Amino acid sequence: MTPEAVWDVLRTVNDPEIPMVSVVDLGIIQAVVIDAIDAVDAVEGAAGGGSAVRIDMTPTFTGCPALDMMRSEIAAAVLSIGAARVDVRVVLDPPWSSDRIAPAAREAMRAIGLAPPPPATRFTADPTLALTLAAPDEPPTACPFCGSMDTVTDNPFGSTLCRSVHYCNGCRQPFEAFKAL
Amino acid sequence: MTTTTPFDLASAPADACAALDAYVLALADDALLQGHRDSEWTGLGPILEEDIAFSSMAQDEIGHALVWYTLRAEHLGAASPDEQAFRRDAAGWRNARLVELPRGDYATSLIRRTLFDIAKAIQYDSLRHSAWPPLAVAAGKLRQEKKYHLLHNQAYVRRLGTAGADSHDRLQSALDALFPAALGLFEPTAGEAALTALGVVTPSAALAAVWLGAVRELLAQSGLSAPIASVAALGGDGDGAGAGAGAGDVLRATVAPDVGGRRGEHTDDLDAMLDAMQSLYRSDPEATW
């Protein structure tokens, strides 16, 4: 089994809360490691040897309720292409950032009216006091419908942990955005 | 926190390992109980946006608690996260009393959430530099997620604090009532000094000083006040007579902190809270979910 084959099948596993975006394009897969199972391991049940695949995935938000579902779907997908054993580990280093979301996934979000996140780098560079005192001074989120930057944040919390609620003064439509993190 | 030597559990003295476990347990217990109290607004928020906000912050906090309980289970010999959360009696909890107090009205919940989040943002930010890598990694992740809590809470405190007499007075009353218990967030856990000496954690007193400054500034922007005074530090370059905080001044709370939670001394409110939170799990601990 090749790493390319594993990455390819992972591109068919989608985020249950944003079903047009794969776990790969979401940027939550940190590593794919493949080991051949030797004869000793085969005694333990992986008859005939084969490949042991380790996937390191990282949560978008640690409280995300879809994490376990994605974990089991990832394992099932990798087993479906012939892996003898799959170990999906949850790792926190480095922490996920919305900057990892792939361009194609951003387009897919926009197409369903979910605004992709603006760059999150400013926050991660903040020292402690800027974090605690200043309201994070991010650029406005572009409206996914008309592209206007004349938008306001109505609520930093939305229908899922990773979404916020906004209003566009350009086309007078409320919309959701994927949060910058 | 400055250190050059990574902290290694395998070669660390036993008292430092025990102190580390107590510290992580306090992190976990603070997060879970704060999250549980927030979840009590689900379906009851004063407006839909706040129902969603408090429910979301609850979800975040329970996720954070899971990270800390998992850290104890994987590295420090503790039972599974579910066992830690749902099969422990009040005397075994190390949360600050702040998070066990009843939900109260919306003003109480908003003020508690604000004081708590500023404290945790400062604590997690400092723990990013911990000499124990698993602690540094987890804190770095959770610190990021505090962003939206701070954004939300501070916007509402500023808005309601300056909106009119009724909303101002409700926030001020909540602040007066909760401030001593909020100071209790900085009650050191057992053996903290052993950890600060090894660069594993920052002294709680140092975190409290940063917190007092951040809280005072937010409150000043919101027309609110807390019992915080600027005191001339020994060895400072000023005479301490000025009204503002000089370079040599430090901030002090002028009320006594409400402590005891880190030693397992809790209010009756915690018993009632655990009864509600743990009853389902305890009714059938072997159930598969």
Side-chain angles (χ1 to χ4, degrees):
Chain A
M1 183 168 298
T2 65
E4 290 73 24
V6 175
W7 282 102
D8 281 346
V9 78
L10 290 177
R11 286 191 184 88
T12 69
V13 178
N14 293 336
D15 179 337
E17 289 178 341
I18 318 170
M20 72 299 303
V21 173
S22 78
V23 293
V24 174
D25 283 351
L26 194 57
I28 65 169
I29 305 299
Q30 308 265 48
V32 171
V33 180
I34 301 176
D35 286 317
I37 295 178
D38 61 22
V40 176
D41 276 350
V43 173
E44 294 173 2
S51 296
V53 180
R54 194 192 87 209
I55 314 276
D56 288 352
M57 69 176 291
T58 195
T60 53
F61 287 75
T62 50
C64 177
L67 188 65
D68 280 343
M69 184 171 172
M70 286 193 274
R71 198 175 177 183
S72 60
E73 289 185 355
I74 286 169
V78 177
L79 288 171
S80 78
I81 58 167
R85 196 188 292 167
V86 182
D87 177 21
V88 184
R89 301 196 316 176
V90 176
V91 298
L92 298 176
D93 184 29
W96 180 83
S97 164
S98 55
D99 292 342
R100 288 200 210 164
I101 298 173
R106 290 170 183 272
E107 279 311 311
M109 288 178 187
R110 199 175 284 120
I112 59 147
L114 176 65
T121 46
R122 192 180 306 184
F123 173 74
T124 54
D126 270 352
T128 301
L129 283 182
L131 163 71
T132 57
L133 294 178
D137 185 24
E138 283 179 344
T141 301
C143 173
F145 302 120
C146 73
S148 171
M149 295 297 283
D150 183 13
T151 66
V152 293
T153 303
D154 271 350
N155 192 345
F157 299 100
S159 58
T160 71
L161 276 189
C162 54
R163 298 188 193 195
S164 48
V165 180
H166 305 257
Y167 185 79
C168 175
N169 289 320
C171 64
R172 309 227 164 258
Q173 289 289 320
F175 65 91
E176 284 195 311
F178 200 104
K179 286 179 185 172
L181 186 70
Chain B
M1 197 157 20
T2 56
T3 181
T4 51
T5 315
F7 178 80
D8 179 11
L9 276 175
S11 58
D15 66 331
C17 293
L20 178 59
D21 189 46
Y23 192 94
V24 177
L25 179 59
L27 288 170
D29 288 351
D30 277 357
L32 184 59
L33 296 192
Q34 175 69 52
H36 188 82
R37 283 301 189 208
D38 287 338
S39 78
E40 294 175 358
W41 281 108
T42 300
L44 301 173
I47 54 173
L48 180 59
E49 284 81 357
E50 285 308 279
D51 198 308
I52 293 171
F54 272 83
S55 300
S56 296
M57 290 190 284
Q59 202 177 339
D60 274 335
E61 221 58 66
I62 292 165
H64 295 186
L66 179 58
V67 168
W68 296 127
Y69 288 129
T70 301
L71 201 64
R72 288 187 76 224
E74 289 185 351
H75 297 277
L76 298 162
S80 74
D82 279 353
E83 289 277 309
Q84 295 177 58
F86 299 123
R87 295 192 83 174
R88 215 159 16 109
D89 294 327
W93 287 72
R94 293 294 177 268
N95 58 283
R97 289 179 177 176
L98 178 73
V99 297
E100 72 199 41
L101 299 176
R103 183 189 71 213
D105 63 2
Y106 174 75
T108 301
S109 285
L110 177 63
I111 289 292
R112 166 163 56 188
R113 183 82 242 179
T114 304
L115 298 175
F116 177 86
D117 275 324
I118 294 175
K120 290 300 167 182
I122 290 167
Q123 185 180 23
Y124 291 168
D125 192 62
S126 102
L127 291 175
R128 286 188 300 147
H129 308 291
S130 171
W132 189 44
L135 185 55
V137 164
K141 172 64 179 167
L142 303 192
R143 169 190 178 272
Q144 303 247 49
E145 298 183 4
K146 284 297 178 191
K147 168 184 178 179
Y148 289 97
H149 296 200
L150 296 167
L151 187 61
H152 165 270
N153 301 339
Q154 298 189 20
Y156 270 90
V157 169
R158 288 191 190 102
R159 203 173 301 166
L160 293 174
T162 56
D166 186 31
S167 64
H168 169 276
D169 294 351
R170 284 167 184 254
L171 290 193
Q172 187 63 56
S173 298
L175 196 52
D176 294 343
L178 292 175
F179 199 75
L183 291 169
L185 286 167
F186 302 99
E187 178 186 5
T189 50
E192 183 191 278
L195 298 177
T196 60
L198 293 166
V200 176
V201 307
T202 302
S204 293
L207 299 178
V210 178
W211 180 81
L212 287 170
V215 168
R216 190 168 73 158
E217 185 162 334
L218 173 65
L219 297 182
Q221 295 164 3
S222 312
L224 300 165
S225 63
I228 301 171
S230 180
V231 186
L234 291 175
D237 54 2
D239 60 8
D249 291 350
V250 294
L251 295 176
R252 294 266 170 77
T254 56
V255 292
D258 179 4
V259 295
R262 305 289 189 221
R263 298 190 300 269
E265 297 165 9
H266 296 287
T267 63
D268 292 343
D269 295 318
L270 181 60
D271 290 314
M273 186 181 192
L274 293 181
D275 277 348
M277 192 177 86
Q278 298 179 333
S279 62
L280 183 62
Y281 185 87
R282 289 193 188 223
S283 70
D284 184 2
E286 308 306 319
T288 313
W289 298 89

